[in-house]
């Protein structure tokens, strides 16, 4: 059973930066596609960024150029660096994993069987 645990959320002023981490209970990063989702107040959960073991990435238009997803190797955390944060970035951020690779288009939550508990990001 894969377990994911996020950390690094918090409160920041607009224009600031935060870095989120996601640690897995096993070596999933070498075999899985990893994604960050966010869910703002009263909004649907939506994909923010995605990366696979081959280093392919995908970003939503709303964060492209501001956020960077990375993972150095199988034994280091999945990272989401967030810069120039905006109030509309306020949300619960959750990492998720599924088998396979990055494909075109936004990640679909239903395709990801493994989820962390989420971490709150608040931008004022």
């Amino acid at each position: 059973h894969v377990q994911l645990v996020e950390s690094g959320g918090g409160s920041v002023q607009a224009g600031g930066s935060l870095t989120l981490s996601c640690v897995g209970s096993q070596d999933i990063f070498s075999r899985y596609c990893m994604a960050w989702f966010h869910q703002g107040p009263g909004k649907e959960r939506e994909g923010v960024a995605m990366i696979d073991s081959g280093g392919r990435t995908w970003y939503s238009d709303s964060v492209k150029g501001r956020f960077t997803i990375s993972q150095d190797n199988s034994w280091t955390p999945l990272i989401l660096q967030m810069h120039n944060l905006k109030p509309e970035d306020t949300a619960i951020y959750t990492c998720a994993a599924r088998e396979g690779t990055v494909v075109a288009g936004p990640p679909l939550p239903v395709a990801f069987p493994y989820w962390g508990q989420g971490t709150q990001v608040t931008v004022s």
Side-chain angles (χ1 to χ4, degrees):
H1 180 67
V2 175
Q3 292 182 311
L4 303 171
V5 179
E6 304 93 338
S7 61
S11 297
V12 66
Q13 291 187 335
S17 299
L18 282 174
T19 298
L20 305 183
S21 298
C22 174
V23 177
S25 60
Q26 55 183 270
D27 175 21
I28 60 172
F29 299 139
S30 64
R31 298 182 290 118
Y32 282 70
C33 177
M34 306 296 299
W36 286 97
F37 291 81
H38 71 185
Q39 187 169 17
K43 297 182 179 179
E44 297 287 326
R45 175 178 281 171
E46 60 181 14
V48 174
M50 186 166 47
I51 188 169
D52 65 22
S53 59
R56 286 172 288 266
T57 58
W58 170 91
Y59 295 94
S60 69
D61 288 342
S62 64
V63 306
K64 201 172 292 183
R66 299 188 299 122
F67 290 12
T68 302
I69 189 171
S70 64
Q71 183 241 317
D72 288 340
N73 59 59
S74 297
W75 304 108
T76 59
L78 176 73
I79 300 295
L80 184 68
Q81 295 179 302
M82 306 185 294
H83 299 291
N84 190 23
L85 283 160
K86 304 175 181 181
E88 51 264 42
D89 295 320
T90 294
I92 296 174
Y93 285 73
T94 310
C95 69
R98 63 161 172 79
E99 293 186 8
T101 60
V102 169
V103 296
L108 299 176
V110 295
F112 288 75
Y114 306 113
W115 292 83
Q117 82 286 352
T119 185
Q120 177 70 47
V121 171
T122 302
V123 185
S124 60

